[in-house]
Structures are given as C-alpha cells and as structure tokens.
Amino acid sequence: MASSKVPSAADQRLIDHAARHDLSVTVKQFASWRRAGLLPGNVSGGGLGRGRGSTSAPPPESFDLVVALARLAGRGKRPADLALLLFAEGLPVPETTVRAAFRAAVDRDPLPGEDDTSADGRHPDERLDQISQRLTDRGQVLTLVPARARRIDERITRALGQLPPELMELDQNSEPQPLTPTDATLTAVTAAIGGSVPLQDIGAMLRAMSPTMAANPMASHVETTQADVPEAAASILAEDGSLAFLPGGDPRDVLRVLAGTAPLEDLAAGWHTAVQVRKWALNLCRRVEGELEAGQLGPAVEEWLHGRQLMSGLSIIATLREPRWTPSRGASSALMWLFQCQALATSTACSQAANGTSSISRGLRRRLPAT
C-alpha cells in the first residue's frame, strides 16, 4: 500500500532510482529501514537562503541499498535478515547493524528444552538439571541422523555388504555402549552449557551418528587418543578428558563475542563458507543418490564414505537437519565456522588428529568453489 506522506525531494530521488530498476518503494519503507539501521538518513546540503529552507540529498550508498532492499524485502523478512543479506552481497550496511544481526542469530538458536528462563544466572549444573527434566517431560530429543542421511547410509551398507576385516580391526572398542536418543541429547546439551565434553562422550556421539556402521574407526580413534599418543594428549586434554583448548561455559557466549569483535572480512568469509558448504552437502547427497539409483557406486559414494566421520560428514548432517535455510541460520553457521577455525588453530595436534580438517581454515581464507 502506498504511503500518503509526500516524499521529500531527496527521498523522491531514491524512489525514482528504484523505479528505473522496476522496483517500487515508499516513504513508509524508508522510515522503517532507517529505524532498523539499514538505510542512512539524507544529509543536509545547506540552506537555500532568503528563508527558503534547506536542501538534503541521499548519501551515495543509499541508491544501491534502496534497490537491494526493495528486491529483498518481503513478508516475514526481519530487519536482521535483511541486514545479513545486504552484508552478504557486499553492500555498505552500517557495521553496528551487521554485528547486531549476527548476535541476534545466536540468540535465536536455543538448546533443546531451553526457554527464556533457563539461564537466569543459574549455575551450569542447575541449568542442566532443569533442561534435562524438561526434556524428559516433553520427550524431546535431537535428530542425530536426519532421515535422508540415514537412508543413504542404509542403501550404501546394503550395496557394499560386510566391511573388510582390515577396517573392522581398526575399531578397538569391541563392545561400545550405544547412546539412546535421550542420552545423546543430554550429551549435546551438556557440551553446549559447559563447553567441552570428554573424548569418550565424543566417541559415543560419533557412533550414535553412524548407527548403521558395524565398525567405527574414527570413533575408536577419538576414544583411544589418550592411550595411543599420551604426549600429544597431555597438551590438549584437561584432567577430565575433555579438550582443554575449548572455552568453558556456554559456547554461544563465545559466538556472541565473535559477532562483536571478528573483523568484518572474517564474518564475510564465514558466511560464504557456510553457504558454499551447504551447497556442496546438498549436491553430494544428490550425486550419491544418483549413483545408488543407477546401481553404480562411484566417486560420490566414495566421497561420502571418506568424509562421513570427519568434519565434512558432520557438515552434511548439520545441513540436512535444517531443510529450510534462513539468513539467521547462515549467520549462526558462519560464526560456528569461525569458532572451529579458531579452536583448530589453537592446537596443531588436534588439527592433525582430525585428519584433514585444516581445510576449514583454508576455506575461511578463500571461498570454496561452487559445486
């Protein structure tokens, strides 16, 4: 609906500029975008003299911003969503607006069983007890393996048959204790509230995320790190067996700090990495399903199997858990990539043990190729 307010001469220039791009904007939209910090106000051009008032003009960056805002704005788009989309396109959104949008993305990412009163200054153990009870009451659990990934795993397992003995032998845990969905959810919540978790719990989570595997060498590698390489383990593990280089407390607090302090170019690199990883993950799923349909297992299935237990495989799982992408999800994922890059850079030993995850660091320094 068009605004009844007569636009100023400066705003009329922006309206005309949008119209030349076949886009329609209103004075009401200008006011909303300016309140949200998405569009700068017009700047005074000085007085006209002899009581004729003064002039104003749009800042140069307003013209590109108005065209993009008119193109991107729509039903259900929050101002923070628009800020992130503008930032992703390299448009000159005010820095304070961009950082606030990244912080808002973290705040909109609650834990299972968490509500607005879950923190309230409580000790982490008390918070965990409260959330655990709420999860039990609601029967709420995490989806460890999305249905699409589970179907792919099962079809590959049927096609390949029994794992070769040499691969089975790499799993030194002959009787792993399986995690129930409730146990896995509590483990994830514990990690989110208190920071790191013991390697044994990480190994158990890796097993729970690949339930069709008869053997899990990567989970075994994590579980036996402390015994196999005690010198390296001593430098990266705390007394309770958790990763010492990860910050204690709620990791979302770290993400909020990153949102407020990371260089804008790092935030942009994190964003583009998150977008490209999502594209790669969905493309790989389609390629794997195509090979399975054709009954000809090839490079896509090989790529799936090689990365299933590594960061690349976890990225696929995370992507499939969120079938509907939103700008807020993109910002949250971008901060997680920056956080992981920072954590991996802290420990060379951990990076080597992850067998290839150094590609994350490289991915934040150059955009991943589209697939």
Side-chain angles (χ1 to χ4, degrees), residues 104-359:
V106 179
D107 295 336
R108 286 201 291 267
D109 201 10
L111 296 171
E114 190 176 42
D115 60 21
D116 293 338
T117 65
S118 292
D120 286 348
R122 290 183 172 88
H123 187 276
D125 289 342
E126 190 177 352
R127 286 180 63 196
L128 183 61
D129 288 342
Q130 182 193 47
I131 292 175
S132 299
Q133 185 59 52
R134 190 175 293 118
L135 288 172
T136 301
D137 293 342
R138 298 175 181 175
Q140 185 178 359
V141 294
L142 285 174
T143 301
L144 287 179
V145 187
R148 187 175 183 181
R150 185 182 293 273
R151 287 194 298 268
I152 290 175
D153 283 342
E154 290 172 348
R155 293 177 69 183
I156 291 176
T157 298
R158 288 196 300 269
L160 292 178
Q162 181 66 37
L163 289 176
E166 57 269 24
L167 187 60
M168 300 283 291
E169 291 171 0
L170 292 177
D171 190 344
Q172 299 181 38
N173 191 343
S174 58
E175 297 181 353
Q177 184 66 35
L179 284 181
T180 66
T182 299
D183 291 337
T185 301
L186 291 177
T187 298
V189 171
T190 301
I193 290 177
S196 186
V197 296
L199 290 185
Q200 289 297 322
D201 290 347
I202 296 176
M205 284 290 285
L206 288 174
R207 293 181 185 280
M209 293 173 72
S210 298
T212 64
M213 292 185 66
N216 196 314
M218 180 54 67
S220 176
H221 176 69
V222 170
E223 294 162 347
T224 59
T225 293
Q226 197 161 4
D228 290 346
V229 282
E231 298 82 5
S235 66
I236 62 172
L237 296 181
E239 291 183 0
D240 63 355
S242 63
L243 297 171
F245 59 85
L246 293 179
D250 193 330
R252 291 172 297 179
D253 292 336
V254 179
L255 300 185
R256 293 185 184 97
V257 171
L258 278 175
T261 60
L264 290 181
E265 56 266 30
D266 285 0
L267 291 176
W271 173 279
H272 289 294
T273 298
V275 169
Q276 293 293 68
V277 166
R278 181 178 178 83
K279 288 181 180 178
W280 164 81
L282 294 174
N283 179 264
L284 179 60
C285 288
R286 288 190 290 268
R287 290 166 51 215
V288 170
E289 289 163 343
E291 291 183 359
L292 289 168
E293 286 294 330
Q296 296 180 341
L297 306 192
V301 169
E302 184 177 0
E303 185 176 353
W304 177 279
L305 290 172
H306 283 175
R308 184 65 174 82
Q309 300 303 309
L310 303 178
M311 286 302 303
S312 58
L314 298 181
S315 296
I316 294 172
I317 296 300
T319 296
L320 296 181
R321 282 203 193 107
E322 301 286 344
R324 180 174 173 270
W325 185 90
T326 64
S328 177
R329 172 54 56 189
S332 180
S333 297
L335 292 171
M336 280 301 301
W337 282 112
L338 289 174
F339 170 64
Q340 292 177 43
C341 183
Q342 192 177 76
L344 289 170
T346 302
S347 173
T348 302
C350 183
S351 182
Q352 291 173 340
N355 188 21
T357 52
S358 60
S359 61

